[in-house]
C-alpha cells in the first residue's frame, strides 16, 4: 500500500487512523505500507505521536539515493512492514511517490492529480471541493473506489481490498484495458499536439 501525504496536514487524523488500523498487519508482515510524507515533517511527527508503536517499527527513508535503491529492490523483492519516506529536498519529496507507485498494489490518495495514475486506488476523503472529480473519474473508469467520505468507510473499504480478491482484480483488469486504449497517455498526446 502506498499512501502519499498531501500539503497542509488536513488529513492527519485520517492518516493516523489508517496506520493505527493497519498496525497488526504491519507488525506480522502480512502488509506493507509505504508512507510518503514528502517534506511534511509536522505531519510525520503527528502520525508518529498518535499511533502507538509506529515509530518503533517504521523503517525510515530520508536519503534520495537510498529511496531510489529501495524502489528498485522492491520491484523484484518482498516488502513488508511500515516504511516512512521523508525528504527535505522538495524534488525528492514529490518524486518519491513516482518511484514508489511502480512497486505498489494499491494507492491510498485524496482525489488529486494522483487519481489519474494507472494503479488501483482507494480514494480518501477530499480536502478541496475541486478534488471530487478525480474520484468520480476513477470510479467511472473502474480503476479506483468511490471517494470514502469518512474514516469508518475508508477502513471498511481498505479491509475489503485486503481481504477480498475481486476488487483488486477488477481494478487491475480495467487498468489493463484502459492502458491498451491509451486512456493514460494524456501527457504523450499533449506533447504530440505541441510538436504538430
Amino acid at each position: 500500500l502506498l499512501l502519499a501525504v498531501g500539503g497542509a496536514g488536513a488529513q492527519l487524523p485520517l492518516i493516523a487512523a489508517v496506520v493505527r488500523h493497519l498496525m497488526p498487519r504491519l507488525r506480522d508482515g502480512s502488509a506493507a505500507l509505504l508512507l510518503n510524507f514528502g517534506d511534511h515533517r509536522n505531519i510525520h511527527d503527528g502520525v508518529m505521536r498518535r499511533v502507538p508503536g509506529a515509530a518503533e517499527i517504521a523503517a525510515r527513508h530520508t536519503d534520495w539515493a537510498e529511496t531510489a535503491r529501495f524502489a528498485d529492490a522492491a520491484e523484484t523483492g518482498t516488502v513488508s512492514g511500515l516504511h516512512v519516506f521523508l525528504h527535505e529536498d522538495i524534488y525528492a519529496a514529490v518524486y518519491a511517490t513516482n518511484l514508489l507507485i511502480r512497486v505498489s498494489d494499491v494507492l491510498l490518495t485524496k482525489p488529486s492529480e494522483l487519481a489519474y495514475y494507472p494503479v488501483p486506488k482507494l480514494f480518501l476523503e477530499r480536502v478541496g471541493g475541486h478534488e471530487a472529480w478525480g474520484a468520480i473519474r476513477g470510479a467511472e473508469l473502474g480503476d479506483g473506489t468511490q471517494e470514502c467520505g469518512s474514516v469508518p468507510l475508508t477502513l471498511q473499504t481498505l479491509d475489503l481490498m485486503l481481504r477480498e480478491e475481486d476488487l483488486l482484480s477488477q481494478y487491475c483488469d480495467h487498468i489493463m484495458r484502459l492502458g491498451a486504449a491509451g486512456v493514460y497517455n494524456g501527457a504523450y498526446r499533449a506533447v504530440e499536439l505541441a510538436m504538430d
Side-chain angles (χ1 to χ4, degrees):
L1 307 168
L2 170 60
L3 200 165
V5 175
Q11 292 187 306
L12 175 58
L14 173 59
I15 294 164
V18 167
V19 176
R20 189 178 307 110
H21 186 73
L22 288 171
M23 282 297 286
R25 291 176 184 265
L26 299 174
R27 285 185 189 279
D28 71 16
S30 63
L33 177 60
L34 311 179
L35 189 47
N36 184 16
F37 286 103
D39 62 346
H40 304 293
R41 180 167 296 284
N42 60 328
I43 303 172
H44 166 274
D45 294 349
V47 169
M48 294 302 133
R49 274 194 309 272
R50 290 175 183 226
V51 182
E56 289 77 27
I57 68 165
R60 286 178 177 69
H61 307 270
T62 58
D63 175 74
W64 172 248
E66 192 277 329
T67 295
R69 284 192 300 274
F70 172 87
D72 286 342
E75 285 191 38
T76 56
T78 301
V79 177
S80 63
L82 177 60
H83 293 265
V84 171
F85 299 84
L86 182 65
H87 294 92
E88 290 183 17
D89 176 70
I90 190 66
Y91 170 82
V94 173
Y95 198 76
T97 294
N98 291 337
L99 293 181
L100 298 171
I101 212 164
R102 297 178 306 157
V103 297
S104 301
D105 296 315
V106 177
L107 171 66
L108 288 76
T109 183
K110 64 189 181 89
S112 62
E113 63 280 357
L114 294 176
Y116 302 94
Y117 279 52
V119 62
K121 291 165 284 286
L122 188 161
F123 287 117
L124 306 173
E125 184 174 9
R126 66 181 172 246
V127 175
H130 66 285
E131 293 175 337
W133 295 106
I136 291 168
R137 182 66 173 155
E140 286 175 347
L141 291 175
D143 67 359
T145 68
Q146 294 183 350
E147 179 184 354
C148 296
S150 68
V151 171
L153 181 56
T154 299
L155 300 180
Q156 180 184 28
T157 305
L158 180 57
D159 283 344
L160 283 172
M161 292 181 88
L162 291 171
R163 189 177 60 236
E164 306 296 331
E165 294 181 12
D166 57 343
L167 277 179
L168 196 53
S169 294
Q170 174 185 319
Y171 296 146
C172 289
D173 288 345
H174 282 112
I175 288 168
M176 296 299 289
R177 283 194 212 104
L178 295 166
V183 169
Y184 301 110
N185 294 349
Y188 294 112
R189 186 70 183 120
V191 170
E192 288 171 7
L193 290 171
M195 299 301 289
D196 285 345

